[in-house]
Amino acid sequence: MIEVTKPGLHDTVQDLGRFDYQKFGVVAGGAMDPYSHRIANLLVGNEKREATLEMTFVGPRLLFREAALIAICGGDFTPTMEGLPVPMWRPVFIRKGSELRFGAAKAGCRAYLAVAGGLDVPLVLGSRSTYVKAGLGGLDGRALIKGDVVQVMSASGLAEVMKKRLSSDALFRAADWQIAQKFLPTLSNHYEIRVMRGRQYELFDEASRHRFWNEPFTVSSQSDRMGYRINGPALHLEEAEEMISEAVTYGSIQVPADGNPIILAADRQTTGGYPKIGQLSSIDFTKLAQAKAGDQLLFKEVTIEESHCLFTKQEMNLKALLAAIRNRFS
């Protein structure tokens, strides 16, 4: 059991989302940064879909009523226990009665806490993810508040072995290894994001298409889990078009009449009627999820085939990580 002794700015339980109900208008939701979420789960012996705690901008204080095996991935929220820094991107054993504290984000803006077994909140339409605007899923459909107690499910056999190996009388004990640096996301104030052409790309005038690929855009403060508004050169269609609403997905780049793009994110609507100039490659969802107001985005064109290759390489790396963890603790 984990007790919230002080909530962060916006702490919600998230998994990889609920994808079978979009035809009924139900938002998919899920972790904004699925890569960091998945790695955190792998590091504690969980399946990739298990629920983690997503923290945004400022993290919480959490009291562990039972000993636990955890991993923290994503943005740097300077996690500490009694003033001692808690390492990220590796398994960490937490002693019963210890309080884990997070501060404000030093790099990125979202971090993920995975606990061996996964966070135990009710399944709603096949997912434990929180969609706050509809009060759906998670813990009572909302962000965590002071006094909340989150249960933890039974750990896997692999997790139990890891926990036993790292068990200690110390406040916490981290593994003496971590994810290789080349597999960690690079967090900065400037992100090059790979994008494929959207369905309505050819409807935009030549000048707009040129500006889209060659000029930077800035993340607006009017950005959230539903979508990122970005400011920069205005983008316009060659001629006005009446569009029929169609399906959208994470990373769809819509352009409303004012010419300022909106990049749809995890809590996006299920359909949209604005023309789409581009579609983010899923390989760079982490960059979008960790970008904050004022950060700059520069779009780089990739083909669908190139995006598939990048995705396949990432999946192979995650499989290799899981195999290495199993081999180390076998």
Side-chain angles (χ1 to χ4, degrees):
M1 293 187 292
I2 304 171
E3 179 183 348
V4 180
T5 54
K6 182 180 179 180
L9 182 63
H10 190 75
D11 313 312
T12 57
V13 176
Q14 300 292 343
D15 57 21
L16 291 178
R18 47 181 65 84
F19 290 98
D20 296 332
Y21 300 92
Q22 294 177 89
K23 59 187 175 183
F24 302 115
V26 178
V27 167
M32 279 284 291
D33 181 351
Y35 182 73
S36 295
H37 163 91
R38 291 175 65 185
I39 288 185
N41 269 326
L42 290 178
L43 289 172
V44 295
N46 288 347
E47 294 294 326
K48 63 184 179 182
R49 282 194 58 87
E50 295 297 348
T52 64
L53 183 65
E54 179 182 272
M55 299 162 274
T56 306
F57 289 115
V58 180
R61 296 180 184 178
L62 305 171
L63 177 65
F64 286 78
R65 294 186 178 178
E66 303 291 341
L69 181 70
I70 71 165
I72 305 164
C73 297
D76 183 2
F77 283 54
T78 59
T80 62
M81 299 190 78
E82 294 188 3
L84 300 173
V86 177
M88 296 178 59
W89 301 98
R90 68 182 73 185
V92 180
F93 173 81
I94 302 292
R95 192 180 68 192
K96 177 180 178 180
S98 301
E99 185 182 57
L100 176 61
R101 297 187 176 192
F102 294 91
K106 290 178 60 179
C109 65
R110 289 182 174 87
Y112 294 82
L113 170 70
V115 184
L119 302 182
D120 188 9
V121 297
L123 279 169
V124 178
L125 299 179
S127 171
R128 304 183 198 277
S129 282
T130 311
Y131 179 42
V132 172
K133 291 182 179 179
L136 187 69
L139 191 66
D140 299 329
R142 57 169 172 76
L144 301 187
I145 60 175
K146 183 177 180 179
D148 278 344
V149 175
V150 183
Q151 303 290 335
V152 178
M153 294 188 290
S154 298
S156 67
L158 173 60
E160 288 294 349
V161 172
M162 297 169 70
K163 188 175 176 181
K164 185 176 180 181
R165 295 267 188 95
L166 291 174
S167 180
S168 170
D169 291 331
L171 195 63
F172 68 89
R173 182 186 176 192
D176 58 3
W177 55 272
Q178 69 168 44
I179 302 296
Q181 190 67 36
K182 65 180 180 180
F183 298 131
L184 302 186
T186 300
L187 305 178
S188 68
N189 302 117
H190 300 79
Y191 294 99
E192 183 179 83
I193 294 184
R194 287 159 285 195
V195 173
M196 297 165 284
R197 296 185 180 189
R199 276 174 53 83
Q200 288 80 37
Y201 176 82
E202 298 297 338
L203 298 182
F204 287 85
D205 62 45
E206 184 177 351
S208 294
R209 297 197 300 264
H210 177 81
R211 289 193 293 266
F212 181 71
W213 299 119
N214 293 280
E215 297 185 33
F217 291 81
T218 302
V219 176
S220 164
S221 58
Q222 294 180 297
S223 301
D224 57 19
R225 282 180 49 89
M226 183 177 181
Y228 276 50
R229 290 184 177 272
I230 56 175
N231 300 320
L235 308 177
H236 300 289
L237 298 177
E238 189 77 51
E239 297 179 2
E241 291 277 344
E242 285 292 331
M243 284 188 54
I244 297 175
S245 291
E246 60 185 19
V248 292
T249 188
Y250 194 158
S252 293
I253 307 176
Q254 294 187 321
V255 183
D258 65 4
N260 291 310
I262 301 171
I263 309 176
L264 301 184
D267 286 352
R268 65 201 174 273
Q269 71 274 23
T270 56
T271 62
Y274 293 127
K276 297 184 290 295
I277 193 169
Q279 170 64 47
L280 264 65
S281 171
S282 63
I283 197 77
D284 282 340
F285 285 174
T286 289
K287 293 178 181 179
L288 181 70
Q290 297 296 346
K292 53 191 179 297
D295 287 355
Q296 285 196 336
L297 309 179
L298 186 65
F299 300 123
K300 176 185 177 182
E301 184 175 5
V302 293
T303 64
I304 292 176
E305 292 75 19
E306 288 170 330
S307 184
H308 283 169
C309 288
L310 291 167
F311 174 77
T312 300
K313 183 178 180 180
Q314 182 184 79
E315 292 302 299
M316 290 176 64
N317 288 338
L318 290 175
K319 287 183 179 180
L321 170 61
L322 177 58
I325 291 172
R326 286 176 172 169
N327 182 61
R328 179 177 287 269
F329 291 97
S330 61

